[in-house]
Amino acid sequence: MVDFFLDYLQLHGFSKGQSQLFMTVVMAVLSLILLVASELLTKKVLLRFVSVFIKKSKTRFDDLLLSHGVLRWAAHLIPPVLLYNIVVPVFQFYPDTIQVFQSVATLYLTIIVLVALLFTLDAVQDYFSAHPVSRRLPLKSFIQVLKTIIVTIGSIVVIAKLLGKSPVVFFSGIGAFTAVIILIFKDSILGFVAGIQLSTNNLVRVGDWIEMPEYGADGDVVDISLVTVSVQNWDKTISTIPAYALISAGFKNWRGMSESGGRRIKRSINIDMQSVGFCDEEMLKKIQGVQLLKEYIEKKRQEIEAYNEQYAFDTSVPVNGRRMTNLGVFRAYLVAYLRQHPKINDDMTFLVRHLQPTENGLPVEIYVFSNDVEWANYEALQADIMDHVLSVLSFFGLSVFQNPSGGDIVNAGKSLLQASTQQTGSAY
């Protein structure tokens, strides 16, 4: 067909060169019209048809591909493919030009594929962000690594085409620049390795409460990327931690507490040791009115009486034999009170104990677990328990250690009064 038109033009006075130029221009214009038509047909007709079909489908992933523009970029693939193949017949009389246009088409096609792949990875990330696997695996880190690899390969291909070299030459030369690459991508490499360790060992997930004081982090993990882990602290600030620091420096993860169904309450109150003493009959009679202690008092009384009778102790002297103390009865009350509390987890560690006495009194520690791990509820429960403990202390004849104590103030007042009296007497 081309030869026919060339012969026709030459019969009508055109030279061979003019005929070839004229045919090249005509075919170039027709090719341009074809390229524009294919672009419009793909975007205006085919893409709209596919969009309508996707919106009617129940699959979520194709909707994400559409919303992230993957299909829109994929629609640009047809023109460079056509251009690459059509320049051969169009510029058949100018073979040097064919290589130029094919290189342009290759570059355009590479960039489109590169961008489409990056947007596809974004769609994949969004798709799995609502999946349970995203809580266990740092998908964002893996996707960022894939993006880095894709951009690197795409850049090498583009540079190779611009320089007229084979991409294999550049890939083979990467080994010589390994040290430079490691230096440039040090954080990315360390973060990627750390991400693999974190996910393999299931050390941290999005939504975990972690604590890392050296980075000022104490809150929920909101994002795990290739290089950093973002933590939203309880004051709503964001702390950014290098991913590899979680492996090298260590951190505290409260996930175990959340999954166990119990949160530890470890609180103590310092008792003034001067207020500790034996329970007399009057006090025991008063304490027996406490429903939580009625059974305990009866059993304990029988046990002590049987013991004292067995060894014939003279109970008229208080230090002989066994007796109940107000502190011991108070501990028994705390145990009974906490056992019947609906917010205390009985299946976990349950202790009411003495700690080592100090110059600040005798610490009585409550070591139990709440069955509500919600922070606000947990703090409210702790406050309620301590409020109650402080309120009932005086009922058992006990007092909280204070420095100076009430007795110290009274004794100091007596000493001052006595000293003042002596000074007055000596004055006369």
Side-chain angles (χ1 to χ4, degrees), residues 15-207:
S15 65
K16 182 178 179 181
Q18 292 175 336
S19 301
Q20 291 177 345
L21 177 62
F22 180 79
M23 287 299 302
T24 301
V25 171
V26 171
M27 288 190 293
V29 172
L30 293 176
S31 299
L32 181 61
I33 294 173
L34 178 62
L35 291 174
V36 173
S38 65
E39 175 81 7
L40 293 175
L41 179 65
T42 304
K43 293 181 65 176
K44 300 297 183 180
V45 180
L46 185 59
L47 186 58
R48 286 187 178 182
F49 174 78
V50 174
S51 300
V52 173
F53 177 77
I54 288 175
K55 290 177 180 179
K56 291 182 178 180
S57 69
K58 296 181 180 180
T59 307
R60 178 169 171 264
F61 184 68
D62 53 7
D63 293 326
L64 291 174
L65 290 176
L66 182 63
S67 62
H68 281 276
V70 177
L71 299 180
R72 185 176 67 254
W73 279 94
H76 291 290
L77 292 174
I78 296 178
V81 173
L82 284 176
L83 176 63
Y84 187 90
N85 291 280
I86 208 171
V87 292
V88 175
V90 171
F91 296 99
Q92 57 183 309
F93 304 115
Y94 304 94
D96 294 337
T97 310
I98 295 176
Q99 184 64 34
V100 175
F101 279 99
Q102 285 186 335
S103 297
V104 171
T106 302
L107 288 174
Y108 185 36
L109 185 63
T110 302
I111 294 172
I112 291 174
V113 171
L114 185 67
V115 175
L117 286 175
L118 294 178
F119 285 151
T120 301
L121 289 176
D122 289 337
V124 171
Q125 181 179 335
D126 278 359
Y127 178 76
F128 284 103
S129 62
H131 197 277
V133 72
S134 64
R135 294 181 57 83
R136 188 174 59 84
L137 297 174
L139 294 177
K140 188 174 182 179
S141 298
F142 296 147
I143 287 176
Q144 286 179 333
V145 170
L146 289 175
K147 283 184 176 181
T148 303
I149 294 172
I150 291 172
V151 171
T152 302
I153 294 174
S155 301
I156 290 174
V157 172
V158 170
I159 294 173
K161 280 295 179 183
L162 290 175
L163 297 178
K165 302 289 185 180
S166 172
V168 178
V169 176
F170 287 87
F171 284 115
S172 61
I174 288 179
F177 299 99
T178 301
V180 177
I181 292 173
I182 291 176
L183 181 63
I184 295 173
F185 295 103
K186 182 190 71 172
D187 290 338
S188 299
I189 294 171
L190 289 174
F192 177 62
V193 174
I196 294 175
Q197 291 178 303
L198 291 172
S199 60
T200 302
N201 300 314
N202 198 20
L203 298 178
V204 68
R205 308 172 187 166
V206 173

Side-chain angles (χ1 to χ4, degrees), residues 1 4-5 20 30 53 76 90 104 114 124 129 131-132 136 144 179 218 240 259 280 286 298 324 335 399 406 408 410:
M1 181 66 69
F4 172 78
F5 282 108
Q20 291 177 345
L30 293 176
F53 177 77
H76 291 290
V90 171
V104 171
L114 185 67
V124 171
S129 62
H131 197 277
R136 188 174 59 84
Q144 286 179 333
D218 185 11
T240 302
E259 293 178 347
D280 54 22
K286 181 178 71 170
E298 292 177 357
M324 282 185 278
V335 171
S399 58
D408 294 334
V410 171

Side-chain angles (χ1 to χ4, degrees), residues 221-233:
V221 176
V222 294
D223 183 61
I224 302 176
S225 66
L226 176 61
V227 180
T228 61
V229 174
S230 299
V231 178
Q232 185 177 56
N233 302 309

Side-chain angles (χ1 to χ4, degrees), residues 9 35 85 87 100 182 192 196 213 218 275 311 322 328 361 364 368 379 389 417:
L9 290 173
L35 291 174
N85 291 280
V87 292
V100 175
I182 291 176
F192 177 62
I196 294 175
D218 185 11
S275 66
Y311 293 97
R322 292 175 58 188
V364 175
V368 295
E379 293 292 349
V389 171
L417 181 61

Side-chain angles (χ1 to χ4, degrees), residues 205-345:
R205 308 172 187 166
V206 173
D208 283 356
W209 171 14
I210 69 170
E211 190 176 339
M212 209 168 179
E214 55 268 37
Y215 287 92
D218 185 11
D220 291 335
V221 176
V222 294
D223 183 61
I224 302 176
S225 66
L226 176 61
V227 180
T228 61
V229 174
S230 299
V231 178
Q232 185 177 56
N233 302 309
W234 302 122
D235 59 359
K236 300 305 179 183
T237 58
I238 302 293
S239 294
T240 302
I241 308 170
Y244 56 83
L246 295 175
I247 299 296
S248 60
F251 63 99
K252 180 186 286 186
N253 193 332
W254 292 84
R255 187 204 312 156
M257 177 271 297
S258 302
E259 293 178 347
S260 68
R263 188 166 181 176
R264 187 184 68 176
I265 297 174
K266 185 182 179 183
R267 299 290 293 273
S268 61
I269 184 168
N270 290 347
I271 303 295
D272 189 343
M273 288 184 282
Q274 294 181 358
S275 66
V276 179
F278 293 121
C279 294
D280 54 22
E281 288 299 324
E282 182 181 353
M283 179 176 287
L284 288 175
K285 186 177 180 181
K286 181 178 71 170
I287 292 175
Q288 277 185 319
V290 181
Q291 292 183 351
L292 292 176
L293 288 177
K294 184 173 294 185
E295 184 178 352
Y296 169 81
I297 295 295
E298 292 177 357
K299 288 184 177 181
K300 202 68 175 177
R301 187 194 288 271
Q302 293 173 5
E303 177 187 333
I304 290 174
E305 289 177 354
Y307 179 83
N308 291 337
E309 288 177 2
Q310 180 181 355
Y311 293 97
F313 286 114
D314 180 9
T315 56
S316 62
V317 179
V319 296
N320 289 335
R322 292 175 58 188
R323 292 178 183 273
M324 282 185 278
T325 63
N326 57 350
L327 182 57
V329 174
F330 173 67
R331 285 191 298 108
Y333 172 77
L334 287 183
V335 171
Y337 170 73
L338 294 172
R339 286 287 185 194
Q340 59 86 41
H341 201 293
K343 293 292 185 179
I344 300 299
N345 193 329

